[in-house]
Amino acid sequence: AQSVTQLGSHVSVSEGALVLLRCNYSSSVPPYLFWYVQYPNQGLQLLLKYTSAATLVKGINGFEAEFKKSETSFHLTKPSAHMSDAAEYFCAVSGSSNTGKLIFGQGTTLQVKP
Amino acid sequence: DTAVSQTPKYLVTQMGNDKSIKCEQNLGHDTMYWYKQDSKKFLKIMFSYNNKELIINETVPNRFSPKSPDKAHLNLHINSLELGDSAVYFCASSQVSSGANYEQYFGPGTRLTVT
């Protein structure tokens, strides 16, 4: 079975500070990993994805994530937070079947303080 | 053009009623999904259809019945609504058959409130 754990349900940073959102996964097969962002009252938008190519993945809005197999982690980072980054962030792993099923972490709320 | 659309965006109804939510995707994808997001924002898959065939059916009450008239549409019908059905329901689509990376595109959600 596959699972995702996001460490920290709430993260608060100051504008301009580093953003680090943590995600650890469990998978019996090589995983596909995703980060999605959800702004208030909106659907989920893909930030970036890891598909067994480069381990450092760059996404939209200045975000990036690094796949570390030895640590089973896929942490999301951004060098400098903007007020507009305040949102809910979800890490997800693809299911082991060929159904495209995604298993989501519980989400992390990012608060950006002025 | 909206890639994945859902109607309605908001749905307020009373316990015991029957309601439907519709979803359409114009991405040409072969697989569509329904997710439920609860009040704690936890996302859980409910159903998935691949080319009109049900391929994922998680532990969901029988009151929930998905229907896919074609691969661009996936509807969700809910019978005898209960208070606990109140949530945001998201539709999503992806291209699975090509062995792609299961990237899913989400609709804007339908906020269902049962009173």
Side-chain angles (χ1 to χ4, degrees):
Chain A
Q2 295 180 307
S3 66
V4 174
T5 301
Q6 291 182 237
L7 301 174
S9 58
H10 286 84
V11 170
S12 182
V13 301
S14 298
E15 193 173 17
L18 171 72
V19 175
L20 171 61
L21 304 182
R22 300 178 187 273
C23 172
N24 287 90
Y25 70 91
S26 171
S27 178
S28 56
V29 297
Y32 290 148
L33 293 159
F34 306 84
W35 275 100
Y36 282 87
V37 61
Q38 184 180 23
Y39 298 105
N41 297 315
Q42 294 187 27
L44 278 73
Q45 179 183 4
L46 182 69
L47 274 178
L48 48 80
K49 59 189 178 188
Y50 167 76
T51 58
S52 74
T55 56
L56 183 61
V57 180
K58 294 188 183 300
I60 62 171
N61 300 339
F63 284 94
E64 63 181 36
E66 186 172 8
F67 173 72
K68 291 187 177 180
K69 184 178 178 181
S70 60
E71 299 177 8
T72 61
S73 68
F74 190 56
H75 301 332
L76 182 70
T77 61
K78 182 174 180 177
S80 176
H82 294 166
M83 296 297 292
S84 60
D85 294 326
E88 191 78 18
Y89 291 80
F90 293 94
C91 182
V93 63
S94 64
S96 55
S97 65
N98 291 325
T99 61
K101 176 180 177 179
L102 284 182
I103 297 162
F104 284 88
Q106 71 271 37
T108 298
T109 303
L110 176 64
Q111 179 187 24
V112 182
K113 298 178 291 186
Chain B
D1 278 347
T2 303
V4 182
S5 59
Q6 293 179 230
T7 54
K9 188 167 176 62
Y10 299 97
L11 186 53
V12 180
T13 188
Q14 293 184 326
M15 286 174 55
N17 286 346
D18 303 338
K19 291 294 179 184
S20 292
I21 307 172
K22 296 185 176 182
C23 178
E24 176 180 2
Q25 56 97 2
N26 62 7
L27 297 168
H29 289 163
D30 60 4
T31 304
M32 296 183 72
Y33 311 82
W34 277 114
Y35 288 88
K36 180 181 180 180
Q37 186 174 47
D38 62 24
S39 58
K40 295 184 179 180
K41 305 223 171 152
F42 183 68
L43 274 159
K44 190 173 190 308
I45 190 164
M46 301 172 68
F47 302 103
S48 177
Y49 273 77
N50 175 271
N51 284 321
K52 301 193 297 177
E53 180 184 349
L54 183 66
I55 59 171
I56 295 175
N57 187 353
E58 296 289 308
T59 308
V60 177
N62 291 336
R63 298 182 294 102
F64 290 78
S65 54
K67 282 190 180 173
S68 182
D70 56 61
K71 72 175 189 175
H73 295 85
L74 179 62
N75 304 324
L76 182 65
H77 188 75
I78 315 171
N79 289 325
S80 303
L81 278 155
E82 301 177 357
L83 293 176
D85 298 332
S86 295
V88 181
Y89 293 85
F90 286 101
C91 177
S93 73
S94 70
Q95 184 64 24
V96 174
S97 62
S98 64
N101 48 34
Y102 307 151
E103 172 182 335
Q104 294 186 15
Y105 293 81
F106 283 77
T110 296
R111 183 175 294 275
L112 172 64
T113 303
V114 182
T115 62

